[in-house]
Amino acid sequence: MCFFRGLRVKRIKKIIIIGLLGLFAPLLRAEMDIEITEGIESALPIAIVPFAQQGGPVSISSVVSHDLGGSGYFRPMTENSMPSRPTTPEAIQFGEWKSAGQNYIVVGQAVPAGGQYNVQFQLFDVNTGNQVLGYRMTSTAQDLRRTAHHISDLIFEKLIGKKGVFSGRIAYITSSGQGASRTHRLQVADADGFNPQTIATSTEPLMSPSWSPDGRKMAYVSFERKTAAIYVQTLATGQRVKVAEFPGINGAPSWSPDGSKLALTLSKDGSPDIYVLNLINNSLIKVTNNSAIDTEPTWSPDGGTIVFTSDRGGKPQLYRVSSQGGAEKRLTFSGSYNARASFSPDGKNIAMVHGNGNDYRIAVLDLASGSINVLTSGPTDESPSFAPNGDMILYASQRGNGGYLAAVSLDGKMQQKLVFDSNAVREPAWAP
């Protein structure tokens, strides 16, 4: 959630409480579906033929079709429209697939062998009959879905020229129950919403999940002790360490690119400022020192600078400062509200919440030119997070009293709505 929305400087404590009220609604399940709300006009027709598969718990072809179709770049053929079901290259009659309007076809097998599966697939250009891509790999039954995502990534990169993100993971926060029985959860799931795992559970709010650069740890804010504290948790073991519980605000943790430090928002000396915590020796550096509210730090990919949100100019805007401290430089001037920055992996762009009045949208700031491109329609969009390939931005939005996740491409041409079986999902974070 964006710290500054509706914020008044002299009422920080009250505003934090108000900002948390009504944030979560009941969770039914954590799985989701993807609805393309705006796709690429030139989406490629592709047939993902059902794999020859013996007893596997996952239909690889269905997962690949779901992945590619959900990207907006492909238009997978439905199974009941397929003229045949070839599973080997020799069985493909390219003429019938060309007549069916397909540009590409994928065939494959998943054969059990010694407790594992031998998986192979081939991608063909229907118009030329030439093989474009082909791989063989082994997989356990448990990892068949991950293998399918890997196949989707390979196909996507080959045909689109960009790395896929289907094998990635996302984190988000939700809750279940009402009143005193409400339980808040920090969850991690595959990029398509499957295989959700609860990382932390609390009867008090959880906020601001942040992935470590290697994807093995998560930093987050917990109010489980009735006051804000920042924890770092190892995902594989569940072991966690409390790294900050100073008087006042402890918020908005952000990992340095090398994973050795966290940028934090702390108010232990008065007004909220940006600090850098060294996780190796626990030393703390104060990066900003201003009577205004400085919050929501994020590191540049090279680790040299930190971009943060501040209302020192009267309204929330983005500023940049050396990660060692020093003079700050204002980055945004267009719009009455610019907050919650997220760097693109190449460091050239910043995704942010861009607001005017009560209308909040996801926008991208080009750091070289200073131009801002508004990507979404609002009016309650927040918490942008760049995908590892830099092509998509994951964000949260609201509908009525609930919330959902959505994604938009960097050029705004492709829009997705990630539909969970829940009416409250917040603060998404895409894994590195």
Coordinates of all heavy atoms in Angstrom, one line a residue, residues 284-322:
L284 N 24.2 0.8 11.0 CA 23.0 1.5 10.4 C 23.5 2.9 10.0 O 24.2 3.6 10.7 CB 22.0 1.7 11.5 CG 20.6 2.1 11.1 CD1 19.9 1.0 10.2 CD2 19.7 2.3 12.3
I285 N 23.2 3.3 8.7 CA 23.6 4.6 8.2 C 22.3 5.3 7.9 O 21.4 4.8 7.3 CB 24.4 4.4 6.9 CG1 25.7 3.7 7.1 CG2 24.7 5.8 6.2 CD1 26.5 3.4 5.8
K286 N 22.3 6.6 8.3 CA 21.2 7.5 8.0 C 21.4 8.1 6.7 O 22.4 8.9 6.6 CB 21.0 8.5 9.1 CG 19.7 9.2 9.1 CD 19.5 10.1 10.3 CE 18.1 10.8 10.3 NZ 17.9 11.6 11.5
V287 N 20.6 7.9 5.7 CA 20.8 8.3 4.3 C 20.1 9.7 4.1 O 20.7 10.5 3.4 CB 20.3 7.3 3.3 CG1 20.4 7.8 1.9 CG2 21.0 6.0 3.5
T288 N 19.0 9.9 4.7 CA 18.3 11.2 4.5 C 18.1 11.8 5.9 O 18.0 11.1 6.9 CB 16.9 11.1 3.8 OG1 16.0 10.4 4.6 CG2 17.1 10.4 2.5
N289 N 18.0 13.1 6.0 CA 17.8 13.8 7.3 C 16.9 15.0 7.0 O 17.5 16.1 6.7 CB 19.1 14.1 7.9 CG 19.0 14.6 9.3 OD1 17.9 14.6 9.9 ND2 20.1 15.1 9.9
N290 N 15.6 14.8 7.1 CA 14.7 15.9 6.7 C 13.5 15.8 7.6 O 13.1 14.8 8.1 CB 14.3 15.8 5.3 CG 13.7 17.0 4.7 OD1 12.5 17.3 5.0 ND2 14.4 17.7 3.9
S291 N 12.9 17.0 7.9 CA 11.7 17.0 8.8 C 10.5 16.5 8.1 O 9.5 16.2 8.7 CB 11.5 18.4 9.3 OG 11.3 19.3 8.2
A292 N 10.5 16.3 6.8 CA 9.4 15.7 6.0 C 9.4 14.2 6.2 O 10.2 13.7 6.9 CB 9.5 16.1 4.6
I293 N 8.5 13.6 5.5 CA 8.4 12.1 5.6 C 9.1 11.6 4.4 O 8.7 11.8 3.2 CB 6.9 11.7 5.6 CG1 6.2 12.1 6.9 CG2 6.8 10.2 5.4 CD1 4.8 11.8 6.9
D294 N 10.2 10.8 4.6 CA 10.9 10.1 3.6 C 10.6 8.6 3.7 O 10.9 8.1 4.8 CB 12.4 10.4 3.7 CG 12.8 11.8 3.4 OD1 11.9 12.5 2.9 OD2 13.9 12.2 3.8
T295 N 10.2 7.9 2.7 CA 9.8 6.5 2.8 C 9.9 5.8 1.5 O 10.3 6.4 0.5 CB 8.4 6.4 3.4 OG1 8.1 5.1 3.7 CG2 7.3 7.0 2.5
E296 N 9.6 4.5 1.5 CA 9.5 3.7 0.3 C 10.8 3.7 -0.5 O 10.8 4.0 -1.7 CB 8.3 4.1 -0.6 CG 7.0 4.0 0.1 CD 5.8 4.5 -0.7 OE1 6.1 5.3 -1.7 OE2 4.7 4.2 -0.4
P297 N 11.9 3.4 0.1 CA 13.2 3.4 -0.7 C 13.3 2.2 -1.6 O 12.7 1.1 -1.4 CB 14.2 3.2 0.4 CG 13.5 2.4 1.5 CD 12.1 2.9 1.5
T298 N 14.0 2.4 -2.7 CA 14.3 1.3 -3.6 C 15.6 1.5 -4.2 O 16.0 2.6 -4.5 CB 13.2 1.1 -4.7 OG1 13.4 0.0 -5.5 CG2 13.1 2.4 -5.6
W299 N 16.4 0.5 -4.4 CA 17.8 0.6 -4.9 C 17.8 0.6 -6.4 O 17.1 -0.2 -7.0 CB 18.6 -0.6 -4.4 CG 18.8 -0.7 -2.9 CD1 17.9 -1.1 -2.0 CD2 20.0 -0.4 -2.1 NE1 18.4 -1.1 -0.7 CE2 19.7 -0.6 -0.8 CE3 21.2 0.1 -2.5 CZ2 20.6 -0.4 0.2 CZ3 22.2 0.3 -1.5 CH2 21.9 0.1 -0.2
S300 N 18.8 1.3 -6.9 CA 19.1 1.2 -8.4 C 19.8 -0.1 -8.6 O 20.4 -0.7 -7.7 CB 20.0 2.4 -8.8 OG 21.2 2.3 -8.1
P301 N 19.7 -0.7 -9.8 CA 20.3 -2.0 -10.0 C 21.8 -2.1 -9.8 O 22.3 -3.1 -9.4 CB 19.9 -2.3 -11.5 CG 18.7 -1.5 -11.7 CD 18.8 -0.3 -10.9
D302 N 22.5 -0.9 -9.9 CA 23.9 -0.9 -9.7 C 24.3 -0.6 -8.2 O 25.4 -0.7 -7.8 CB 24.6 0.1 -10.5 CG 24.2 1.6 -10.3 OD1 23.4 1.8 -9.3 OD2 24.6 2.5 -11.0
G303 N 23.2 -0.4 -7.4 CA 23.5 -0.2 -5.9 C 24.0 1.1 -5.6 O 24.2 1.4 -4.4
G304 N 24.2 2.0 -6.5 CA 24.8 3.3 -6.2 C 23.8 4.3 -5.7 O 24.3 5.2 -4.9
T305 N 22.6 4.2 -6.0 CA 21.6 5.2 -5.5 C 20.4 4.6 -5.0 O 20.1 3.4 -5.3 CB 21.2 6.2 -6.7 OG1 20.6 5.4 -7.8 CG2 22.4 6.9 -7.2
I306 N 19.6 5.4 -4.3 CA 18.3 4.9 -3.7 C 17.3 6.0 -4.1 O 17.5 7.2 -4.0 CB 18.3 4.8 -2.2 CG1 19.3 3.7 -1.8 CG2 16.9 4.6 -1.6 CD1 19.5 3.5 -0.3
V307 N 16.2 5.5 -4.7 CA 15.1 6.4 -5.0 C 14.0 6.2 -3.9 O 13.7 5.1 -3.5 CB 14.5 6.1 -6.4 CG1 13.2 6.8 -6.6 CG2 15.5 6.5 -7.5
F308 N 13.4 7.3 -3.4 CA 12.5 7.2 -2.3 C 11.4 8.2 -2.5 O 11.5 9.1 -3.4 CB 13.2 7.5 -1.0 CG 13.8 8.8 -0.8 CD1 13.2 9.9 -0.2 CD2 15.1 9.1 -1.3 CE1 13.7 11.1 0.0 CE2 15.7 10.3 -1.2 CZ 15.0 11.4 -0.6
T309 N 10.3 8.1 -1.7 CA 9.2 9.0 -1.8 C 9.3 10.0 -0.6 O 9.6 9.6 0.5 CB 7.9 8.3 -1.7 OG1 7.8 7.2 -2.6 CG2 6.7 9.2 -1.9
S310 N 9.0 11.3 -0.9 CA 9.1 12.3 0.1 C 8.1 13.4 -0.2 O 7.8 13.7 -1.3 CB 10.5 12.9 0.2 OG 10.5 14.0 1.2
D311 N 7.5 13.9 0.9 CA 6.6 15.1 0.7 C 7.3 16.4 1.1 O 6.6 17.4 1.4 CB 5.3 14.9 1.6 CG 5.6 14.9 3.1 OD1 6.8 14.8 3.5 OD2 4.6 15.0 3.8
R312 N 8.6 16.4 1.0 CA 9.3 17.6 1.4 C 9.0 18.8 0.5 O 9.2 20.0 0.9 CB 10.8 17.4 1.4 CG 11.4 17.0 0.0 CD 12.8 16.6 0.1 NE 13.1 15.5 0.9 CZ 14.3 15.1 1.3 NH1 15.3 15.8 1.0 NH2 14.5 14.1 2.1
G313 N 8.5 18.6 -0.7 CA 8.1 19.7 -1.6 C 6.6 20.0 -1.4 O 6.1 20.8 -2.2
G314 N 5.9 19.5 -0.4 CA 4.5 19.8 -0.2 C 3.6 18.6 -0.5 O 2.6 18.3 0.2
K315 N 4.0 17.8 -1.5 CA 3.2 16.6 -1.9 C 4.2 15.5 -2.3 O 5.3 15.7 -2.6 CB 2.3 16.9 -3.1 CG 1.2 17.9 -2.7 CD 0.2 18.1 -3.9 CE -0.9 19.1 -3.5 NZ -1.9 19.3 -4.6
P316 N 3.7 14.2 -2.2 CA 4.6 13.1 -2.4 C 5.2 13.1 -3.8 O 4.5 13.1 -4.8 CB 3.7 11.9 -2.2 CG 2.6 12.4 -1.3 CD 2.4 13.8 -1.7
Q317 N 6.5 13.1 -3.9 CA 7.2 13.0 -5.2 C 8.4 12.1 -5.0 O 8.8 11.7 -3.9 CB 7.7 14.4 -5.6 CG 6.6 15.4 -5.9 CD 5.7 15.0 -7.1 OE1 6.2 14.3 -8.0 NE2 4.5 15.5 -7.2
L318 N 9.0 11.7 -6.1 CA 10.2 10.8 -6.0 C 11.5 11.6 -6.0 O 11.6 12.6 -6.7 CB 10.2 9.8 -7.2 CG 9.1 8.9 -7.3 CD1 9.3 7.9 -8.5 CD2 8.9 8.1 -6.1
Y319 N 12.4 11.1 -5.2 CA 13.7 11.8 -5.1 C 14.8 10.7 -5.2 O 14.6 9.5 -4.9 CB 13.9 12.5 -3.7 CG 13.0 13.7 -3.6 CD1 11.6 13.6 -3.3 CD2 13.5 15.0 -3.7 CE1 10.8 14.7 -3.2 CE2 12.7 16.1 -3.6 CZ 11.3 15.9 -3.3 OH 10.5 17.0 -3.2
R320 N 16.0 11.1 -5.5 CA 17.1 10.2 -5.6 C 18.3 10.7 -4.7 O 18.6 11.9 -4.7 CB 17.6 10.0 -7.1 CG 18.8 9.1 -7.3 CD 19.0 8.7 -8.7 NE 19.1 9.9 -9.6 CZ 19.0 9.8 -10.9 NH1 18.9 8.6 -11.5 NH2 19.1 10.9 -11.7
V321 N 19.0 9.7 -4.1 CA 20.1 10.1 -3.2 C 21.1 8.9 -3.3 O 20.8 7.8 -3.6 CB 19.6 10.2 -1.8 CG1 19.1 8.9 -1.2 CG2 20.7 10.8 -0.9
S322 N 22.4 9.3 -3.1 CA 23.4 8.2 -3.1 C 23.1 7.3 -1.9 O 22.6 7.7 -0.9 CB 24.8 8.9 -2.8 OG 25.7 7.9 -2.5

